[in-house]
Amino acid sequence: MWDELISDAHRIFGYVIMLYVALSAGVYIFMYAAAARSLWRDRDLSPIQYSAVLETELVPPLSIVVPAYNEEINIVGSVRSLLGINYKQFEIVVVNDGSKDRTAAIMIEEFDMTAIKDRVSFSGLKRETKPIRAVYRSLRHPNLVLVDKENGGKADALNVGINVARYPYFVSLDGDTVLDPDAFIKVVKPIMDARPGEEIIATGGSVGIANGSRVDSGYLSSDSVRLSDKPLVVMQVVEYLRGFLMGRIGLSRYNMLLLVSGAFGVFNKKWVVEAGGYETGTIGEDMELTVRLHEEIRRRKSKARIVYVPEPVCWTEAPESFKILRRQRTRWQRGLFESIWKHRNMIFNPRYGKVGMLSMPMFLFIELLGPLVEVFGYATVVFGFFMDEINVRVSLSLALMMLLFGSLVSTGAVLFEEWRFHNYNRLRDVFRLFFYALSESFWYRPVLTLWRTHGLLQAIRGKRHGWGEMTRVNVLGAGPKPGIGPEAAAAQREGASGIEQ
Amino acid sequence: MNDSAILEVVWTAIAVLLLLIFLVLFYLVNRKVRRGNRRKRIREAADRLNAGDSPLSVYLGSGERSRRLDVSGGPLRREALETTLLERLAVSASETERERIFRFAAVQFAEEYDRLLHARRWSDRMNALLHVEQFRMAALEDSIVRRLGELGAETESDDERFLLIRTLSSLQLDVSLDYLDTAAERFSELQLMQILRPMRGGLLDRLIRETDTLPRRIARCLIDTLRLENIRTNEVLELLERSMRSDDPEMRIRALKALANFGYLTPEASERLESRMAEGEAVAWPERLMHARLAGVVREERFEPHLERMIADSSYEVRREAAASLSKYRDGHERMRRIADEHPDRFARDIAAETLERRAYERHVG
């Protein structure tokens, strides 16, 4: 009798997993189609589309918030780099988050900064921040402000930056972000093009991988993009292309985007303030804020939108070793868990419309629980094999089919890149991207599945330490700190916590 | 379904997937190779066209047109010509050279662009429009207007609609004014300003004359555009001063900002400004800010007491602007020092000290 029960349970479990696989394949096909439609329309569009607005003062003014923690070596280069951006109206708000080094002093000396005594650094944000020690403005560059505050972590620094920012839109920048020279104009274009009555409250663009490319004065333009020689990095290039070009275009079209990357995003200050600013002490504060903005949209029954721009606007340095990649991915999974858990009331809640009924469940079942289901799937097959419950040939054929489906999806992302951006122009690079995309399902994905499952289990067990990572501003204007190779620099970033322990 | 039937389905799916994957690869490589070759050939052709003794360079330099210049070529030659001419335009060619470029483009590309404006592929249409705008090909007016007529009402075509209307205004065509109502309904303010910005001469004069009949969003954007383009005529001054009295607060703020940029006020408008300043904080702070800015530009004694009062305003931005304005007055420095030392309001003292510090730095550096 037990045998029968186990056998029935195994069969039912098998069906559930097959249903799950079919549903997720359906979601992927839908996203694939939405992305294909949009990118096919825009393929080979001339870059002069931006020139008409770039030269004018028509662009909306931006407050660029740059949190800094122990950045005395890089901060000056980073700020210089930002001061030279291709944009007409902006201010830079550097928030020194209680650095233990000379970050603030070096800023004050280098940019002739003087204390402003009575600037009211309050935007209406109903969230307490660590006290501000002083606010300075550069005498040489009136659009450069330094806020010196006590240490509270990246989210707290961003909140203070929001309080001090004077323009209606602010930009959040991650430390290891290398910008495209036209990043700002590309990202604000949807704001500039918003129809009457339509409000764009946040926009973000694609993030590419900088490893292997030559960064010039803190910027990386499409012409200088090169594919790294390291297989692990190439794999991440494919993964980023798929994640951004396929994952987000469809979601953005239906206003279901749950993540505006912290690496580089533009936000409407009023909305962020209303939504309560950045949540401190959380891992994925960028996703958490985006979800909260959706909550706010629904609460107000507004038509406001969160938009994704497919253009690559910034580049980041990817981990080059399994060890650091594992640390990064387990962390991302924990961040995802936190964001979803905190807003679990939205899942399948019709009050939150498409976000509640579609994108939250999608993130829960595919992004968060997907790896776990996958592991269960493998276990079911192995279990069935030993119980003599399955036809090995059928199982292996099905597995091969799904792996090839995954490969097709990834190769499709390479195709989309070629349609729209042509960043990888050497034929050799295309072949490498394609064959790595083809191989993804056979080695990279299983490894990632294990790490992500591990991350999920850690999150469920309540692991929280190592978070509140502080933004480093090193790549905008300078390379890694002297004597630190990319690997060690990445390790330092991964492990670093901006919050004093 | 038995196992062998399942296997059959699965293996068919595998075969289809493999086929698709290799089709993608084939397409990708084919596209990449063709695009690479094409780009190379266009670059080579463009380099030849750019050579000092090429018929194109001779024409652009002297206006002398050789027969070799008019040889018709395929799309490759057209693209090479486009690339060369756009590059020349971008590096600020002289006015004569620009005129020659426009004349030449009108002959060479008109027929092709006319076709492309109605092409099936969206990006072809958009690229053609961007080129029509760059090469100022006013002869394509009918084609653009026809395309506008073909567009449906759906929002999906708004990107194209916007570019079509912007192109009409860039080409200084009267017909662009007919589309301002549509534009006001569908486009963002920044897009509206992109439409208004290129307008000049008779077209702009007409717009200024008819401001009161324009949709409100267009009128507001017109004021901003006049400021950004730094247009200083009596008609503009009259419009701006009239807009100071508008019942639309947004219009008033923009007019004040534009007047501050204009740098002059008639005595009647000065009187109006003074009476508004006297209303104190009953006026919204963005408007107070602009009052302070304008008073700092026109520098009439009558505004001084108001500016001094505004230094203790409840808004930081107004305080800062008032201090900056007051410091520009004849005895501004002394007045600022006195405020920094003696003013009963702490905020006023602070902002005066900050302004003095900035002025001292500017004197030191500049």
Side-chain angles (χ1 to χ4, degrees):
Chain A
M1 189 198 134
W2 276 106
D3 278 0
E4 256 178 50
L5 264 178
I6 291 173
S7 166
D8 285 346
H10 180 258
R11 193 174 312 118
I12 291 167
F13 203 67
Y15 285 135
V16 170
I17 286 180
M18 276 167 75
L19 182 72
Y20 171 88
V21 170
L23 280 175
S24 14
V27 169
Y28 276 116
I29 290 172
F30 165 76
M31 306 269 254
Y32 199 105
R37 182 170 176 253
S38 160
L39 293 168
W40 176 254
R41 189 188 86 143
D42 292 359
R43 72 196 188 283
D44 301 328
L45 191 62
S46 166
I48 55 175
Q49 59 168 323
Y50 294 114
S51 62
V53 277
L54 247 182
E55 304 146 11
T56 73
E57 292 175 34
L58 299 188
V59 290
L62 293 174
S63 296
I64 305 164
V65 180
V66 186
Y69 179 70
N70 291 347
E71 290 292 347
E72 62 179 12
I73 294 175
N74 302 307
I75 192 71
V76 171
S78 307
V79 170
R80 284 233 174 89
S81 202
L82 278 173
L83 281 166
I85 62 170
N86 229 353
Y87 202 80
K88 286 283 179 189
Q89 300 188 73
F90 64 92
E91 66 163 358
I92 300 168
V93 181
V94 177
V95 185
N96 175 40
D97 191 44
S99 299
K100 291 175 190 161
D101 65 0
R102 296 186 67 247
T103 304
I106 215 158
M107 280 288 296
I108 293 168
E109 282 165 25
E110 194 64 32
F111 296 104
D112 293 315
M113 306 202 87
T114 175
I116 315 173
K117 295 188 186 96
D118 64 343
R119 175 151 168 173
V120 180
S121 44
F122 179 67
S123 59
L125 185 64
K126 292 186 195 76
R127 189 184 291 274
E128 214 155 287
T129 58
K130 294 282 178 187
I132 292 177
R133 295 170 187 153
V135 181
Y136 301 85
R137 185 197 304 281
S138 165
L139 291 166
R140 202 184 318 160
H141 307 280
N143 61 339
L144 174 60
V145 173
L146 167 72
V147 185
D148 189 17
K149 67 178 276 286
E150 285 175 17
N151 183 270
K154 180 181 171 185
D156 190 61
L158 284 168
N159 285 335
V160 167
I162 293 169
N163 274 336
V164 173
R166 49 192 286 232
Y167 294 131
Y169 285 92
F170 74 89
V171 181
S172 77
L173 269 185
D174 240 11
D176 52 354
T177 302
V178 182
L179 293 173
D180 177 276
D182 294 335
F184 289 86
I185 191 75
K186 284 177 178 171
V187 167
V188 298
K189 196 161 181 293
I191 296 169
M192 296 178 66
D193 294 352
R195 294 166 56 80
E198 184 185 54
E199 202 173 4
I200 308 293
I201 58 172
T203 67
S206 291
V207 180
I209 286 178
N211 308 44
S213 304
R214 196 171 43 81
V215 177
D216 183 18
S217 313
Y219 292 100
L220 176 57
S221 67
S222 292
D223 304 339
S224 317
V225 176
R226 297 283 177 275
L227 193 61
S228 165
D229 291 331
K230 308 215 164 54
L232 200 58
V233 175
V234 181
M235 213 57 261
Q236 289 173 80
V237 171
V238 174
E239 194 191 4
Y240 273 50
L241 286 177
R242 195 187 54 234
F244 280 98
L245 291 183
M246 290 189 41
R248 299 200 184 176
I249 289 179
L251 289 177
S252 170
R253 185 178 158 81
Y254 298 102
N255 200 18
M256 303 195 301
L257 199 64
L258 286 193
L259 177 60
V260 171
S261 171
F264 182 67
V266 176
F267 296 87
N268 180 311
K269 190 171 81 177
K270 198 176 75 197
W271 275 81
V272 172
V273 165
E274 288 282 318
Y278 284 92
E279 179 78 40
T280 48
T282 180
I283 302 166
E285 72 279 334
D286 45 3
M287 177 172 177
E288 202 282 328
L289 175 67
T290 318
V291 176
R292 213 145 19 85
L293 284 173
H294 274 295
E295 239 181 338
E296 187 68 19
I297 291 173
R298 295 289 155 185
R299 195 178 63 74
R300 293 200 209 172
K301 296 190 173 67
S302 158
K303 283 186 179 164
R305 292 176 58 80
I306 296 173
V307 174
Y308 157 74
V309 186
E311 266 88 349
V313 291
C314 63
W315 308 84
T316 184
E317 202 176 306
E320 294 189 349
S321 78
F322 279 97
K323 189 178 151 202
I324 294 166
L325 185 65
R326 180 176 65 83
R327 209 181 291 168
Q328 182 193 56
R329 296 315 165 95
T330 48
R331 190 188 75 201
W332 285 4
Q333 203 66 8
R334 294 204 302 272
L336 180 64
F337 174 83
E338 269 191 15
S339 298
I340 291 183
W341 181 251
K342 187 156 183 281
H343 298 279
R344 59 190 179 280
N345 64 318
M346 290 172 75
I347 300 170
F348 289 125
N349 187 339
R351 264 181 45 210
Y352 295 100
K354 284 180 291 215
V355 172
M357 298 305 284
L358 293 171
S359 47
M360 284 297 279
M362 203 181 97
F363 269 75
L364 170 67
F365 290 113
I366 298 182
E367 295 294 330
L368 185 68
L369 299 177
L372 199 63
V373 178
E374 219 169 307
V375 169
F376 272 124
Y378 296 134
T380 313
V381 173
V382 174
F383 184 76
F385 177 72
F386 284 113
M387 295 282 294
D388 211 14
E389 282 279 331
I390 58 162
N391 180 329
V392 179
R393 281 184 66 195
V394 173
S395 303
L396 289 178
S397 306
L398 273 171
L400 180 64
M401 184 182 82
M402 286 322 295
L403 291 176
L404 285 175
F405 177 73
S407 299
L408 177 67
V409 171
S410 297
T411 51
V414 180
L415 176 68
F416 292 168
E417 198 282 333
E418 163 57 23
W419 273 351
R420 188 66 184 84
F421 307 116
H422 334 289
N423 280 331
Y424 301 99
N425 279 317
R426 292 183 304 184
L427 202 57
R428 185 172 153 259
D429 287 352
V430 178
F431 273 114
R432 289 181 63 219
L433 277 174
F434 185 87
F435 285 109
Y436 277 106
L438 207 59
S439 75
E440 182 182 10
S441 306
F442 298 90
W443 63 282
Y444 185 71
R445 193 182 156 90
V447 172
L448 243 55
T449 301
L450 284 178
W451 294 342
R452 289 168 66 198
T453 311
H454 184 216
L456 176 63
L457 296 176
Q458 279 180 344
I460 293 170
R461 284 204 312 270
K463 176 173 176 173
R464 297 181 69 88
H465 69 79
W467 294 109
E469 172 198 13
M470 194 54 228
T471 287
R472 317 223 146 242
V473 230
N474 57 347
V475 197
L476 289 172
K481 292 184 181 179
I484 299 179
E487 196 74 336
Q492 187 193 41
R493 274 202 309 279
E494 292 304 315
S497 164
I499 298 182
E500 292 168 9
Q501 301 293 316
Chain B
M1 207 186 242
N2 61 24
D3 284 355
S4 64
I6 293 175
L7 264 179
E8 204 172 307
V9 173
V10 172
W11 278 101
T12 312
I14 287 173
V16 171
L17 284 170
L18 278 172
L19 183 71
L20 284 175
I21 287 171
F22 284 101
L23 276 178
V24 169
L25 176 64
F26 177 74
Y27 174 77
L28 198 58
V29 171
N30 184 38
R31 193 179 142 91
K32 194 58 110 181
V33 169
R34 283 174 53 176
R35 188 170 175 276
N37 285 340
R38 194 180 168 79
R39 271 169 50 121
K40 198 169 146 224
R41 286 166 64 194
I42 289 173
R43 193 63 261 168
E44 283 166 2
D47 287 345
R48 280 197 300 276
L49 286 165
N50 259 328
D53 56 351
S54 76
L56 182 68
S57 296
V58 171
Y59 165 68
L60 294 179
S62 66
E64 220 171 280
R65 226 173 146 138
S66 85
R67 248 186 298 163
R68 274 169 61 209
L69 193 57
D70 290 328
V71 289
S72 58
L76 206 91
R77 181 181 143 85
R78 177 175 62 81
E79 265 187 63
L81 271 174
E82 269 174 5
T83 311
T84 313
L85 296 178
L86 285 173
E87 278 170 6
R88 291 241 181 180
L89 282 176
V91 293
S92 63
S94 68
E95 205 40 54
T96 333
E97 189 174 330
R98 294 172 78 84
E99 284 305 324
R100 284 177 189 147
I101 290 175
F102 299 149
R103 267 204 305 278
F104 181 69
V107 176
Q108 287 286 321
F109 307 140
E111 204 176 313
E112 182 64 8
Y113 288 166
D114 189 13
R115 186 184 67 78
L116 286 171
L117 285 176
H118 303 270
R120 266 189 63 197
R121 194 168 135 174
W122 181 85
S123 49
D124 277 346
R125 298 199 300 274
M126 295 295 272
N127 287 343
L129 264 174
L130 289 164
H131 290 154
V132 168
E133 193 178 24
Q134 299 265 323
F135 292 130
R136 313 230 175 122
M137 298 170 73
L140 290 173
E141 174 180 352
D142 290 345
S143 190
I144 297 171
V145 171
R146 201 168 73 244
R147 180 65 203 149
L148 270 166
E150 285 165 10
L151 288 179
E154 70 281 353
T155 53
E156 272 78 19
S157 37
D158 275 355
D159 284 344
E160 188 174 353
R161 199 188 319 272
F162 164 66
L163 203 52
L164 284 161
I165 298 175
R166 191 180 81 184
T167 307
L168 286 177
S169 77
S170 299
L171 300 176
Q172 308 296 326
L173 298 170
D174 280 345
V175 69
S176 55
L177 300 187
D178 297 348
Y179 292 95
L180 290 183
D181 286 345
T182 312
E185 271 168 39
R186 288 176 175 262
F187 303 144
S188 70
E189 287 211 348
L190 294 163
Q191 285 177 315
L192 295 180
M193 281 157 74
Q194 285 179 60
I195 292 173
L196 298 175
R197 228 184 103 240
M199 293 187 180
R200 287 287 181 278
L203 197 60
L204 184 63
D205 291 344
R206 205 178 127 192
L207 207 59
I208 292 170
R209 271 198 313 276
E210 295 171 7
T211 306
D212 295 338
T213 61
L214 292 172
R216 182 161 276 189
R217 297 184 69 233
I218 300 276
R220 288 174 180 174
C221 292
L222 175 64
I223 301 281
D224 281 346
T225 310
L226 293 170
R227 171 176 58 84
L228 289 172
E229 293 300 300
N230 216 3
I231 295 174
R232 295 147 177 272
T233 62
N234 285 333
E235 291 73 22
V236 171
L237 181 65
E238 196 266 325
L239 169 66
L240 297 180
E241 290 188 345
R242 189 154 35 91
S243 304
M244 275 175 76
R245 298 169 182 276
S246 166
D247 56 357
D248 173 15
E250 192 57 43
M251 191 80 176
R252 290 201 300 271
I253 292 168
R254 293 183 198 208
L256 288 163
K257 197 172 177 184
L259 279 166
N261 183 66
F262 199 101
Y264 175 77
L265 273 188
T266 59
E268 299 77 45
S270 281
E271 221 163 274
R272 168 78 185 160
L273 177 63
E274 193 192 356
S275 71
R276 283 293 282 168
M277 286 176 96
E279 287 177 42
E281 298 202 9
V283 176
W285 78 262
E287 200 173 335
R288 295 205 301 274
L289 175 92
M290 288 305 154
H291 287 158
R293 183 174 298 176
L294 182 53
V297 174
V298 292
R299 278 182 293 193
E300 287 179 27
E301 251 176 57
R302 62 164 86 180
F303 301 126
E304 282 184 87
H306 298 294
L307 284 174
E308 200 164 325
R309 180 177 42 73
M310 286 166 106
I311 278 189
D313 196 280
S314 61
S315 152
Y316 170 76
E317 304 291 345
V318 176
R319 288 201 297 277
R320 189 170 162 220
E321 197 67 51
S325 285
L326 202 55
S327 70
K328 288 183 200 157
Y329 276 67
R330 203 152 43 98
D331 53 350
H333 188 77
E334 290 68 38
R335 194 185 283 255
M336 208 52 61
R337 183 154 302 287
R338 189 168 45 72
I339 293 172
D341 293 338
E342 296 168 11
H343 203 286
D345 186 283
R346 182 172 66 83
F347 289 132
R349 290 198 302 273
D350 285 347
I351 200 73
E354 193 187 317
T355 309
L356 279 172
E357 197 173 357
R358 181 165 295 278
R359 291 276 175 264
Y361 177 83
E362 281 164 5
R363 270 201 301 278
H364 176 67
V365 174

